[in-house]
Amino acid sequence: MSELAIDRDIDRSKMTVSDEVAIEISNMNKWYGSFHVLRDINLTVNRGERIVIAGPSGSGKSTLIRCINRLEEHQSGKIVVDGTELTSDLKNIDKIRSEVGMCFQHFNLFPHLTILENCTLAPIWVRKVPKKEAEATAMHFLEKVKIPDQAHKYPGQLSGGQQQRVAIARSLCMKPRIMLFDEPTSALDPEMIKEVLDTMIELAEEGMTMLCVTHEMGFARQVANRVIFMDQGQIVEQNEPEEFFNNPKSERTKLFLSQILGH
Amino acid sequence: MSDISFVRTEMLPQQAPPATSVGVIGWMRANLFSGWLNSVLSVVSGAFILYVVWFLLSWTLSPTWAAASLNECREILAGHEGACWGVIRDRWVQLLFGFYPSELYWRPILTFVLLFVALAPVLFSEKVPAKLIYFSAAFPFIMPWMLWGGTIWGPLTAAAGFVIGYVVFKAVDRAVGSLAGIIAGVAASLVWWLLLAGPVSGTLGDVLNIGLTPVESRYFGGMMLSITIGVVAIACSLPIGIVLALGRRSDLLIVKSLCVGFIEFIRGVPLITLLFVASTLLNIFMPPGTNFDIIMRVIIMATLFASAYMAEVIRGGLAALPKGQYEGADSLGLDYWQSQRLVIMPQALKISIPGIVSTFIGLFKDTTLVSVIGLLDPLGLSNAIRADAAWNGVVWELYGFIAFLFFVFCFSMSRYSMYLERKLRTDHH
């Protein structure tokens, strides 16, 4: 839980937040069995926002972003993504999933496919892009995450940091309008965290709408335009990063920050 | 105070390992003679193995090939221990083909050769032309025609059932929806097969009678029968097993209950029971006059039996996959069937290869149980051969020969599975 310094200048020219709403969550509740994991969540995300969700483990932050592409089902309330409401309608779910990219803590690359095949699978089968074109797109994004030379290897032959960058490239190949990150650096060595964060910063610089569950407070401070603090399934506090870190309002936030930011 | 400061100025290059730890000498030191107790054990077990091999060889290498009866063998051996190979010379053709008409032996032989041609694109997809897969698709219709004979219209009308089903599925799928399409397609195929295919092929046969001499099932026997039952049951049990495994993990209550019920029922009943049902009970339930081929009935039972086990093996593979693989596929927008086909199944099947091949091997060996219901598989034939006065009393040679034939097939399957596992490894290598 360190604060990794981000030692580069961030190009903020395209990091603008528009008025257009990307995600709207209202009065959303979710239970696991009888356990109330998410309680009355209200959250509006505008296009171009970079939101970091922080909080202690078990606070429901992963569950929250997993509800946005229906990896978890919510039981009440409303989630609208890009104008499409998430219901049990499978067509809507697949449509939203193809427009919302997601990166996981454990990458979830497909180990039986090469890096290139990992990146072209969904464009070919979901978007029906011709194979040649999908491969060209994949190589473009692999170059962006700086591992084009690994395209014909298998995920098991890459380091953790490289795998996570492939996972980001794989999501980008679907040309998503929103990216979700579920603790993308939590399973990585410190040396590799930086390369993944750099990739995420580049993505932010291009104006991507991002929701990140992460413990990287350096990233939150410099890249996010809003930090959300969750505890016990509720949004406890949200603010601009500057205010959030320097002037937290709730006692719970203060305690959390004092613990993760060290002494 | 000691100086604990240390800085390496140059990195060490790689060096070769010491000579005593590599090569033949290294291997023997590590595996056979790594201590005095191990050395003694190695020598003693080596001597024992030599003794057994010597005994087997002296039994096997006996000059009885030409003998025409067990008594002749005894005369040739003159009191020595030795095998009586005359029985194999006399009856090997029967052990391979049963009572299949000898002038038609070319048909099962050609079918057997074509079987490998048809399997090649499935087993060694990267080494043969991709177009060959069309032959693999046609083979299920060629095989029964070659073995049983009859007019060419039988297999053609059977194949037409699939075409009709597909066309109906496509049409209804476009008009109504995919579930209705599947139901309509299956229904159309069933109507064709059960009601129309027979008369149509009969009429066509009257008009243009092209075909092979028909051979009835009761002439089938020997390895040919075992291979026919084994190959068809193996080929059908894998896809059925996959569907059952998916059904068992389904969220749909009825689908799930049906699959669980089927799997548990079949697994709870001995194969012999199913074979008896196939041989006797089914005829009672059939409308009088229908003649449902006994080999076909046995194949269906063996397939159902193997697919229940297959389903559980594959379910094991599915359960071993991390949840993240499902989520990875879901998060990219792949639908259920796409993610099963492209992401989940390739990995689950790879994990299950040892179990799948074990089931295959078990199924192939279980085909010998058909001797219980009177089919003349190699074991059934061996009883018939020993009933012959000339060979009454021959046991080891017959069973040894049959065991050898089965071993060749089962061992090949096992080696192939190991080759496949190596080929599909995608981690560090």
Side-chain angles (χ1 to χ4, degrees):
Chain A
M1 313 287 162
S2 65
E3 184 164 0
L4 207 77
I6 290 170
D7 54 357
R8 49 174 283 188
D9 293 329
I10 295 172
D11 172 13
R12 295 181 185 276
S13 58
K14 288 190 211 151
M15 287 165 73
T16 49
V17 176
S18 82
D19 292 337
E20 191 192 340
V21 174
I23 303 169
E24 177 139 38
I25 302 175
S26 41
N27 307 106
M28 191 259 276
N29 283 280
K30 174 171 176 58
W31 289 262
Y32 282 131
S34 60
F35 178 59
H36 201 171
V37 256
L38 290 177
R39 307 181 196 174
D40 196 32
I41 303 287
N42 286 286
L43 177 66
T44 304
V45 181
N46 286 352
R47 196 159 299 293
E49 276 205 276
R50 304 157 307 279
I51 296 178
V52 163
I53 304 173
S57 65
S59 59
K61 49 197 194 311
S62 286
T63 312
L64 171 60
I65 68 165
R66 287 157 60 88
C67 282
I68 294 172
N69 64 353
R70 193 75 168 192
L71 288 182
E72 304 286 352
E73 193 177 330
H74 60 282
Q75 278 98 18
S76 77
K78 199 168 160 185
I79 304 179
V80 180
V81 181
D82 264 334
T84 312
E85 191 186 342
L86 269 175
T87 56
S88 53
D89 183 346
L90 288 177
K91 283 222 166 72
N92 277 354
I93 293 174
D94 284 338
K95 175 164 173 280
I96 286 172
R97 282 175 177 167
S98 65
E99 281 170 20
V100 178
M102 181 152 194
C103 291
F104 301 85
Q105 181 176 3
H106 297 290
F107 332 130
N108 296 354
L109 294 176
F110 307 133
H112 63 300
L113 300 176
T114 62
I115 300 306
L116 191 62
E117 289 165 343
N118 262 282
C119 294
T120 56
L121 185 78
I124 289 175
W125 291 95
V126 179
R127 292 245 191 276
K128 315 287 180 205
V129 176
K131 190 167 177 235
K132 282 265 177 291
E133 196 184 321
E135 283 178 353
T137 316
M139 286 313 289
H140 167 75
F141 284 113
L142 286 175
E143 264 159 42
K144 245 178 89 169
V145 300
K146 304 189 186 67
I147 30 179
D149 45 330
Q150 316 279 5
H152 295 287
K153 289 192 181 172
Y154 287 94
Q157 296 167 304
L158 267 56
S159 74
Q162 288 173 324
Q163 289 192 47
Q164 192 59 289
R165 285 184 283 151
V166 170
I168 295 174
R170 178 175 76 174
S171 301
L172 293 179
C173 285
M174 288 294 281
K175 310 268 172 68
R177 308 184 67 190
I178 300 165
M179 283 289 290
L180 308 174
F181 293 87
D182 188 2
E183 306 204 21
T185 56
S186 298
L188 298 177
D189 295 341
E191 268 187 295
M192 296 170 180
I193 291 178
K194 191 177 168 306
E195 60 189 48
V196 171
L197 286 184
D198 278 342
T199 309
M200 289 169 64
I201 292 167
E202 277 170 34
L203 207 54
E205 285 175 335
E206 286 166 17
M208 176 67 78
T209 311
M210 295 163 73
L211 270 86
C212 313
V213 172
T214 181
H215 298 292
E216 295 302 328
M217 290 303 136
F219 178 82
R221 214 185 269 273
Q222 304 203 33
V223 181
N225 69 310
R226 173 152 51 134
V227 180
I228 294 177
F229 176 69
M230 286 184 71
D231 189 29
Q232 294 175 27
Q234 301 151 70
I235 296 178
V236 174
E237 184 165 351
Q238 55 172 319
N239 215 329
E240 290 175 354
E242 206 49 39
E243 274 293 296
F244 180 84
F245 286 109
N246 298 338
N247 194 10
K249 303 282 187 300
S250 106
E251 285 306 314
R252 187 67 191 89
T253 317
K254 283 178 195 163
L255 180 66
F256 177 74
L257 286 177
S258 76
Q259 274 168 351
I260 67 161
L261 292 181
H263 320 281
Chain B
M1 210 175 101
S2 64
D3 184 9
I4 56 163
S5 150
F6 169 77
V7 178
R8 185 174 291 289
T9 49
E10 60 181 316
M11 304 302 271
L12 298 176
Q14 280 206 28
Q15 289 182 340
T20 48
S21 68
V22 292
V24 179
I25 297 174
W27 182 86
M28 282 176 51
R29 275 176 70 114
N31 293 297
L32 297 177
F33 303 109
S34 59
W36 69 267
L37 180 63
N38 287 348
S39 304
V40 170
L41 287 176
S42 296
V43 171
V44 170
S45 30
F48 179 71
I49 291 168
L50 276 181
Y51 171 76
V52 171
V53 168
W54 176 250
F55 173 79
L56 279 180
L57 272 182
S58 63
W59 182 81
T60 311
L61 299 175
S62 90
T64 47
W65 188 249
S69 71
L70 186 56
N71 287 335
E72 277 187 40
C73 280
R74 289 190 177 129
E75 281 166 28
I76 294 170
L77 288 168
H80 292 88
E81 283 283 312
C84 180
W85 292 121
V87 65
I88 306 299
R89 180 196 52 79
D90 190 30
R91 298 300 183 96
W92 69 275
V93 177
Q94 198 183 19
L95 283 172
L96 292 184
F97 297 104
F99 295 101
Y100 208 82
S102 56
E103 70 278 11
L104 299 177
Y105 279 168
W106 64 272
R107 270 160 52 179
I109 294 172
L110 182 60
T111 314
F112 189 64
V113 172
L114 289 180
L115 168 69
F116 284 96
V117 179
L119 280 178
V122 182
L123 299 184
F124 305 100
S125 52
E126 72 287 346
K127 288 182 187 149
V128 293
K131 288 265 191 299
L132 209 54
I133 196 80
Y134 292 111
F135 179 73
S136 309
F139 188 72
F141 304 101
I142 297 173
M143 190 184 95
W145 180 58
M146 293 280 291
L147 292 178
W148 276 274
T151 68
I152 185 108
W153 303 111
L156 284 181
T157 45
F162 285 99
V163 177
I164 289 168
Y166 182 73
V167 170
V168 170
F169 162 71
K170 272 288 161 194
V172 178
D173 180 35
R174 205 167 301 154
V176 187
S178 62
L179 184 63
I182 292 171
I183 294 170
V186 170
S189 296
L190 286 180
V191 167
W192 171 260
W193 282 323
L194 295 179
L195 301 176
L196 299 172
V200 168
S201 80
T203 319
L204 285 169
D206 292 340
V207 176
L208 193 60
N209 194 4
I210 318 170
L212 297 168
T213 324
V215 179
E216 281 178 47
S217 285
R218 59 197 167 96
Y219 295 113
F220 280 52
M223 272 320 269
M224 188 195 119
L225 178 66
S226 291
I227 294 172
T228 307
I229 298 174
V231 165
V232 177
I234 283 174
C236 299
S237 65
L238 184 61
I240 298 177
I242 291 176
V243 171
L244 285 173
L246 290 178
R248 189 162 190 172
R249 290 171 65 90
S250 166
D251 297 330
L252 307 170
L253 185 66
I254 294 178
V255 172
K256 185 177 172 164
S257 326
L258 280 176
C259 290
V260 172
F262 177 84
I263 291 170
E264 296 303 340
F265 172 72
I266 296 280
R267 286 203 310 166
V269 175
L271 179 55
I272 292 267
T273 319
L274 293 177
L275 291 178
F276 275 124
V277 169
S279 78
T280 56
L281 277 181
L282 275 187
N283 264 359
I284 299 172
F285 295 120
M286 293 284 174
T290 43
N291 181 21
F292 194 18
D293 190 87
I294 177 70
I295 294 183
M296 192 64 86
R297 281 181 271 159
V298 166
I299 285 177
I300 290 173
M301 284 305 179
T303 304
L304 295 183
F305 188 75
S307 44
Y309 281 88
M310 193 63 69
E312 288 299 282
V313 168
I314 293 168
R315 192 169 68 94
L318 288 170
L321 273 196
K323 199 164 158 253
Q325 290 296 310
Y326 294 86
E327 292 179 348
D330 284 349
S331 75
L332 288 168
L334 295 168
D335 66 30
Y336 177 79
W337 291 109
Q338 284 172 337
S339 56
Q340 290 298 340
R341 185 157 56 89
L342 302 167
V343 177
I344 305 302
M345 269 305 155
Q347 298 184 63
L349 290 179
K350 184 181 133 190
I351 298 172
S352 325
I353 286 173
I356 291 175
V357 175
S358 285
T359 312
F360 282 170
I361 290 177
L363 169 62
F364 186 59
K365 290 188 298 184
D366 280 349
T367 59
T368 52
L369 288 176
V370 299
S371 61
V372 174
I373 56 165
L375 289 183
L376 291 173
D377 84 304
L379 283 189
L381 281 170
S382 77
N383 289 335
I385 292 170
R386 275 183 295 121
D388 183 336
W391 302 115
N392 194 349
V394 172
V395 179
W396 290 98
E397 296 80 357
L398 277 175
Y399 285 136
F401 181 68
I402 295 166
F404 173 75
L405 291 178
F406 273 95
F407 179 79
V408 168
F409 285 96
C410 297
F411 189 63
S412 317
M413 282 193 253
S414 152
R415 296 310 293 189
Y416 175 76
S417 87
M418 289 170 79
Y419 155 81
L420 196 62
E421 279 176 65
R422 265 199 311 280
K423 191 180 85 173
L424 294 180
R425 272 185 65 185
T426 55
D427 45 357
H428 288 278
H429 44 195

